[in-house]
Amino acid sequence: MISRESFAGWYRNRFVWVAVILLAVSVGTVVIVDRAGPEAEPADLQGQIMTRMRTTLEQADPGEHNHAGHSAQQVATEEEKPAVICGVRVYGYEPAEVTALADVQTVYGFHLCGVAEQKRPWDVAVKLAGPVIMDMSTEPPGIQVVEATADVMFVDRLRQMFPQKYAELAIKEALTDSEMAEQRRRYDAAAGL
């Protein structure tokens, strides 16, 4: 039988408590790592929106997001159309308080897409770029680019189409360095470079 003194000695022994704490931390770590597996939580909403935006733009015919003086005729007229490789940046979405991709109605962002014709380097590829609005309430999502008109300058048109907080970002910022590097890597692979 355990005497009161031996129990008190065990209770006060700091090495035992260190072992108990290490065991608890180890078990907690295993539980957290186990829950963080690939089937756990889906990616964050911003990441889901970026993926959907990129996929939509890459699957769309270049004429659907045609702007900045480029036309679909500049793309080679081969049987198999070349891949369109896009980099995107999300400035924001509406309604801003939603937490699920299915609830997002409108996305405000920037896109830079290159038509990856075989052996054509990035520097001479047909490109489509600029602020973009995606209507996520339709299938496939609607694509609307910001363009100047004969009567309205680009910056004024941008401010007409984008909410003010996103328009200010669109005037100053495009793709992040990491997104641009990833896009160039994907473009080179698609163009066979």
Side-chain angles (χ1 to χ4, degrees):
M1 183 158 197
I2 299 176
S3 71
R4 185 176 189 119
E5 290 81 23
S6 68
F7 180 73
W10 176 86
Y11 182 74
R12 290 185 193 140
N13 188 338
R14 67 181 131 208
F15 296 112
V16 172
W17 283 108
V18 169
V20 169
I21 291 170
L22 287 175
L23 180 64
V25 168
S26 298
V27 170
T29 302
V30 168
V31 169
I32 289 171
V33 169
D34 199 31
R35 286 188 180 167
E39 69 276 48
E41 294 294 316
D44 64 310
L45 182 57
Q46 185 87 356
Q48 291 176 24
I49 292 170
M50 284 182 67
T51 300
R52 180 72 190 272
M53 192 173 169
R54 183 181 301 112
T55 302
T56 299
L57 289 165
E58 289 180 348
Q59 291 176 350
D61 184 86
E64 291 180 46
H65 50 109
N66 174 35
H67 55 87
H70 295 292
S71 64
Q73 288 84 17
Q74 288 177 293
V75 178
T77 57
E78 302 169 8
E79 290 268 332
E80 185 178 318
K81 292 184 179 183
V84 176
I85 306 299
C86 297
V88 298
R89 180 165 187 175
V90 176
Y91 296 133
Y93 51 88
E94 300 293 334
E97 66 278 355
V98 300
T99 58
L101 181 62
D103 298 330
V104 174
Q105 297 294 310
T106 308
V107 176
Y108 300 93
F110 179 87
H111 77 301
L112 172 59
C113 299
V115 179
E117 295 178 272
Q118 285 301 302
K119 304 300 179 194
R120 181 172 278 207
W122 172 259
D123 294 339
V124 293
V126 174
K127 296 178 192 78
L128 307 164
V132 64
I133 300 170
M134 295 193 75
D135 179 2
M136 304 291 273
S137 64
T138 63
E139 190 55 48
I143 303 167
Q144 185 179 14
V145 295
V146 177
E147 289 188 291
T149 65
D151 302 326
V152 181
M153 292 177 25
F154 176 81
V155 173
D156 295 332
R157 184 70 178 132
L158 175 69
R159 288 191 172 121
Q160 289 173 355
M161 295 173 69
F162 273 56
Q164 182 180 355
K165 61 185 174 182
Y166 305 138
E168 294 306 315
L169 284 172
I171 290 170
K172 298 174 189 170
E173 301 178 15
L175 297 182
T176 63
D177 291 340
S178 62
E179 180 71 11
M180 185 67 199
E182 176 64 14
Q183 180 195 18
R184 289 292 299 273
R185 184 195 63 73
R186 292 176 55 237
Y187 176 90
D188 289 347
L193 300 173

